[in-house]
């Protein structure tokens, strides 16, 4: 059996075709979506979990070295890895929020896959993370439909990292391919996520149109200008219909990061001064919140950053705020702050203000945010999204008949307005925000594996 697999930055989902109808497969109870999160007792647990609990072998010598190192560290720490030590989705987030200091937690590993300049051993570890998540989803889906799944089409962004970074794209696709095959898929193909969303929308068209698909997900925004309609429906060869693609690593996660940085970090000392009158360095606050940047996270949470943070605390004009930044570092609390930023973003779509509650274990910090503050905080990522829309129009040389918006972050009225400002007289149709990419990937899998 084949499935469409949306391995998303924020959520994952899969679908298959039953009696000619594309149907999402329940993964957690009746829920067809599982958050792209994982937690374990430590980072090394993941590699040993694959080998010991799932009987998934290393993919090459580097991957084998990662496993040997993991087993050695776990034995030194007296850790015997069990099947239930690694958790996924909401279970992973809940356990992390309960015990952040002693829990290894990862959100959105897809955001890391295109990062350049990493060592082979780091890339191999990312492969293990993705393999664990894919294997969990595959096993849940097979249990749900009581059928083996051997073929898949996986969604991918136009660019994993930045504009035109083809080496980055190749690296990310290679990691996803190896991880999927280790997880048990025999045949693995890929399709651009905005094209997949467009394929789902195309079934509703009664005449041919030029459609600009704008897919704003958790980690990336992708735009595709596509000729679609009855003339193209169910065609396997449709290169002539694909007029332009643009994409960049900017999405819902970036909105959360900018909200946390600009609206919350002031309570941790951002904007305050040292006793000598100098400003505290911005980079400490940005690195703390940049959960989609592996180098930034390593820089902030590394043990060698503790000394400068303590020095800033001693010299701070507002030491109580710097004490919170120290607590953030020592207890690894960044994801909890981002979680509150995401809640604020969602709440302020319908309300004028929101009170964030940031739990620092020894203290709960209340931060009241206004809608106007949120809109100002996300101005930078909004500009990037508008530029991607403009670039797709320029590349294609035409204006669309309709804009089809999809992706979880496209629900934001602020982002819809940003897209509309580029093409003010073009109709915008809201898609199935969470399901259109999965449905389109499944449609494509039916065509290529038939």
């Amino acid at each position: 059996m084949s499935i469409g697999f949306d391995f998303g930055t924020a959520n994952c989902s899969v679908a298959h075709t039953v009696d000619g109808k594309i149907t999402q497969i329940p993964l957690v109870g009746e829920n067809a979506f599982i958050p792209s999160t994982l937690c374990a007792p430590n980072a090394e647990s993941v590699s040993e979990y694959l080998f010991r609990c799932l009987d998934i072998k290393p993919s090459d010598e580097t991957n084998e070295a990662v496993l040997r190192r993991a087993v050695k560290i776990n034995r030194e720490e007296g850790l015997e890895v069990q099947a239930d030590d690694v958790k996924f989705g909401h279970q992973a987030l809940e356990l992390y929020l309960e015990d952040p200091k002693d829990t290894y937690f990862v959100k959105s590993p897809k955001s890391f896959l295109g990062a350049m300049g990493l060592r082979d051993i780091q890339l191999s570890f990312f492969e293990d993370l993705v393999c664990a998540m894919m294997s969990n989803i595959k096993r849940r889906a097979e249990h749900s439909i009581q059928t083996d799944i051997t073929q898949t089409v996986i969604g991918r962004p136009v660019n994993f990292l930045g504009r035109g970074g083809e080496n980055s794209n190749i690296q990310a696709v290679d990691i996803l391919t190896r991880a999927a095959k280790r997880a048990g898929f025999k045949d693995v193909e890929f399709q651009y996520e905005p094209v997949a969303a467009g394929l789902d929308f195309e079934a509703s068209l009664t005449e041919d149109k030029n459609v600009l698909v704008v897919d704003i997900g958790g980690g990336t925004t992708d735009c595709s200008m596509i000729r679609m309609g009855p003339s193209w429906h169910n065609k396997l060869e449709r290169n002539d219909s694909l007029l332009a693609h643009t994409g960049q690593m900017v999405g819902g996660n970036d909105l959360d990061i900018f909200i946390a940085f600009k609206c919350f970090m002031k309570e941790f000392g951002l904007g305050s001064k040292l006793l000598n009158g100098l400003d505290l360095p911005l980079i400490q606050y940005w690195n703390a919140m940049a959960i989609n940047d592996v180098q930034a996270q390593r820089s902030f949470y590394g043990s060698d950053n503790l000394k400068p943070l303590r020095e800033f605390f001693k010299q701070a004009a507002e030491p109580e705020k710097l004490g919170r930044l120290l607590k953030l570092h020592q207890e690894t609390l960044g994801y909890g702050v981002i979680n509150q930023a995401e809640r604020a973003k969602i709440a302020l779509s319908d309300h004028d203000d929101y009170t964030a509650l940031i739990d620092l274990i020894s203290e709960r910090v209340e931060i009241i945010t206004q809608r106007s503050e949120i809109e100002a905080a996300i101005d930078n990522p909004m500009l990037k999204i508008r530029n991607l829309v403009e670039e797709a129009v320029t590349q294609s040389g035409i204006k669309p008949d309709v804009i089809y918006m999809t992706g979880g972050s496209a629900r934001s009225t602020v982002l819809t307005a940003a897209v509309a400002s580029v093409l003010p007289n073009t109709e915008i149709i809201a898609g199935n925000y969470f399901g259109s990419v999965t449905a389109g990937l499944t449609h494509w899998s039916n065509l290529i594996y038939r």
Side-chain angles (χ1 to χ4, degrees):
M1 166 171 282
S2 69
I3 60 170
F5 192 158
D6 183 6
F7 186 73
T9 308
N11 294 284
C12 298
S13 66
V14 294
H16 65 151
T17 301
V18 181
D19 298 328
K21 182 180 178 182
I22 292 174
T23 305
Q24 286 187 289
I25 301 173
L27 297 176
V28 184
E30 296 300 312
N31 197 334
F33 299 94
I34 183 168
S36 304
T37 52
L38 172 153
C39 80
N42 60 14
E44 290 73 27
S45 301
V46 179
S47 300
E48 187 170 357
Y49 162 81
L50 288 175
F51 180 74
R52 191 170 305 283
C53 303
L54 301 185
D55 195 30
I56 293 177
K57 305 294 191 295
S59 57
D60 56 26
E61 289 183 4
T62 304
N63 203 236
E64 191 170 340
V66 170
L67 174 61
R68 285 198 302 270
R69 177 179 179 276
V71 171
K72 180 175 182 292
I73 290 173
N74 288 336
R75 292 303 164 271
E76 289 172 352
E77 294 182 0
L79 178 62
E80 294 286 341
V81 178
Q82 306 294 321
D84 62 353
D85 284 342
V86 180
K87 300 188 184 300
F88 305 88
H90 287 298
Q91 278 191 328
L93 178 59
E94 288 166 5
L95 184 58
Y96 163 75
L97 292 176
E98 263 180 40
D99 188 14
K101 186 175 183 180
D102 294 321
T103 302
Y104 173 74
F105 179 77
V106 176
K107 179 180 180 181
S108 311
K110 183 179 175 183
S111 299
F112 305 152
L113 304 185
M116 302 306 293
L118 300 177
R119 293 174 296 158
D120 287 346
I121 202 161
Q122 292 170 308
L123 297 175
S124 194
F125 175 65
F126 288 162
E127 179 188 319
D128 280 354
L129 284 176
V130 175
C131 181
M133 294 177 70
M134 284 186 167
S135 177
N136 174 63
I137 290 165
K138 183 175 183 290
R139 287 181 293 112
R140 286 174 180 270
E142 288 174 335
H143 177 76
S144 185
I145 62 176
Q146 293 295 295
T147 304
D148 289 339
I149 300 169
T150 58
Q151 299 172 314
T152 186
V153 174
I154 300 172
R156 55 152 292 183
V158 174
N159 289 309
F160 282 85
L161 192 60
R163 300 175 192 230
E166 197 50 36
N167 288 337
S168 167
N169 293 334
I170 291 169
Q171 173 181 287
V173 169
D174 283 349
I175 292 172
L176 289 168
T177 302
R178 291 196 302 271
K181 291 196 171 182
R182 288 175 69 201
F185 292 106
K186 290 184 172 57
D187 299 308
V188 179
E189 297 290 342
F190 292 86
Q191 180 58 274
Y192 284 148
E193 289 159 357
V195 173
L199 293 172
D200 182 49
F201 175 58
E202 186 173 60
S204 68
L205 294 177
T206 57
E207 60 180 328
D208 289 354
K209 290 182 180 292
N210 295 319
V211 180
L212 176 64
V213 180
V214 180
D215 178 16
I216 308 177
T220 57
T221 292
D222 296 292
C223 303
S224 288
M225 187 77 80
I226 311 173
R227 290 193 182 106
M228 58 175 63
S231 299
W232 297 96
H233 191 57
N234 284 334
K235 281 192 175 181
L236 190 58
E237 177 50 59
R238 56 180 305 156
N239 284 340
D240 290 344
S241 74
L242 305 177
L243 306 179
H245 304 294
T246 63
Q248 194 172 3
M249 197 174 81
V250 54
N253 282 352
D254 295 88
L255 304 185
D256 301 339
I257 289 167
F258 272 87
I259 291 167
F261 175 68
K262 292 195 172 185
C263 299
F264 295 171
M265 284 296 97
K266 59 191 177 185
E267 297 299 329
F268 292 76
L270 179 64
S272 63
K273 294 184 180 293
L274 300 173
L275 292 173
N276 60 11
L278 295 176
D279 293 328
L280 284 153
L282 294 178
I283 193 66
Q284 289 285 359
Y285 297 94
W286 179 257
N287 286 348
M289 294 297 98
I291 61 166
N292 57 0
D293 185 334
V294 65
Q295 303 289 12
Q297 292 284 277
R298 184 181 294 118
S299 177
F300 180 75
Y301 286 108
S303 58
D304 57 346
N305 194 35
L306 184 57
K307 183 178 179 180
L309 287 177
R310 283 176 171 162
E311 286 299 317
F312 291 138
F313 174 70
K314 291 177 185 176
Q315 301 170 32
E318 299 180 88
E320 71 281 0
K321 291 184 177 180
L322 264 294
R324 291 170 185 158
L325 189 64
L326 260 174
K327 192 72 170 177
L328 193 75
H329 173 276
Q330 292 173 307
E331 304 291 341
T332 321
L333 298 172
Y335 282 103
V337 179
I338 293 294
N339 181 253
Q340 281 296 308
E342 182 180 16
R343 288 170 180 260
K345 176 186 69 180
I346 294 168
L348 290 169
S349 292
D350 301 315
H351 301 90
D352 291 329
D353 57 66
Y354 175 79
T355 301
L357 296 173
I358 298 176
D359 190 353
L360 298 178
I361 302 175
S362 59
E363 176 191 15
R364 294 191 81 191
V365 183
E366 291 190 7
I367 305 174
I368 299 173
T369 52
Q370 307 292 328
R371 180 183 291 179
S372 58
E373 290 180 84
I374 296 291
E375 291 177 357
I378 62 176
D379 185 63
N380 179 280
M382 281 174 53
L383 176 61
K384 291 180 180 179
I385 290 169
R386 286 196 295 269
N387 288 342
L388 289 170
V389 173
E390 290 174 350
E391 189 179 332
V393 172
T394 301
Q395 273 189 28
S396 66
I398 60 172
K399 288 193 174 180
D401 299 312
V402 64
I403 300 168
Y404 181 68
M405 287 191 67
T406 187
S409 297
R411 293 173 298 166
S412 166
T413 54
V414 174
L415 291 179
T416 302
V419 173
S421 70
V422 180
L423 296 161
N425 300 315
T426 306
E427 179 187 12
I428 295 179
I429 295 176
N432 177 346
Y433 292 122
F434 292 102
S436 62
V437 170
T438 315
L441 293 170
T442 306
H443 176 74
W444 195 245
S445 77
N446 292 337
L447 291 177
I448 66 174
Y449 293 129
R450 61 188 175 188

